[in-house]
Amino acid sequence: MRREKPADSPDAYVAALDGWRRETVETLRAAVLAAGALEERIKWGHIVCFSNGPVLLIRAEEARVLFGFWRGKRLREIEPRLKPGGKYEMATMVYVEGDPVDAAVAGRLAREAIRLNVEIGDPTRSS
C-alpha cells in the first residue's frame, strides 16, 4: 500500500479532495466549526478537531467519508447512525456517494461533543 504525505493543513486536506467527498467534507467541516470553539489539526492523516482533548474526526477515504466522535456512544440519541467501535467511547458514521449531509445534525453533534469534553474532560485521559 502506497503511503501519501499527509496534508499540511485542514485547508490543504480539503483542497486535495474532489467530487462528492469534497462536498461532504466541506459541509461537515463548516457545520462543526460553526458549532463552537474547536482547534482543527491534521492528525493521523485526516482532520481532527480538539476542545479539551479530541472531539471529532473527518476522514475522506476512496469510497466513503467517516465522521467520528471520541464520545460518540453518548451521542447516539442525537444520531442513531453512529456506530460504536474502537477505543474510548468512539462512534462513527459513514457517508458514501449520494448520502445527504444534515448540517444541523452535524452541528448539534459537535456542540454536544464539545460540551461533554468540557464537562467530563479529555476522552483519552478518562478511565
Side-chain angles (χ1 to χ4, degrees):
M1 180 176 196
R2 192 178 118 227
R3 293 196 49 103
E4 295 182 21
K5 180 186 177 291
D8 291 328
S9 69
D11 288 336
Y13 183 88
V14 175
L17 300 173
D18 59 11
W20 72 269
R21 294 179 316 137
R22 184 174 186 160
E23 292 172 18
T24 299
V25 170
E26 286 176 335
T27 302
L28 291 170
R29 186 177 179 217
V32 302
L33 292 177
L38 288 168
E39 178 189 343
E40 195 182 33
R41 300 183 214 156
I42 296 296
K43 189 154 179 82
W44 304 297
H46 52 269
I47 296 172
V48 178
C49 295
F50 293 80
S51 178
N52 197 26
V55 174
L56 63 93
L57 66 87
I58 301 171
R59 183 171 76 211
E61 298 176 350
E62 189 171 326
R64 65 185 188 166
V65 172
L66 292 179
F67 187 40
F69 295 85
W70 267 257
R71 296 198 185 279
K73 290 179 183 177
R74 296 177 186 236
L75 303 174
R76 295 190 70 230
E77 189 174 293
I78 297 170
E79 179 51 81
R81 292 181 297 165
L82 284 166
K83 300 290 183 232
K87 293 170 93 175
Y88 314 109
E89 297 180 66
M90 195 71 159
T92 58
M93 53 189 292
V94 173
Y95 291 93
V96 296
E97 188 170 8
D99 285 349
V101 177
D102 186 331
V105 171
R108 185 172 172 213
L109 288 166
R111 279 189 301 280
E112 183 62 12
I114 293 166
R115 186 193 68 75
L116 287 167
N117 273 20
V118 168
E119 183 179 297
I120 302 169
D122 182 339
T124 64
R125 294 201 173 115
S126 298
S127 52

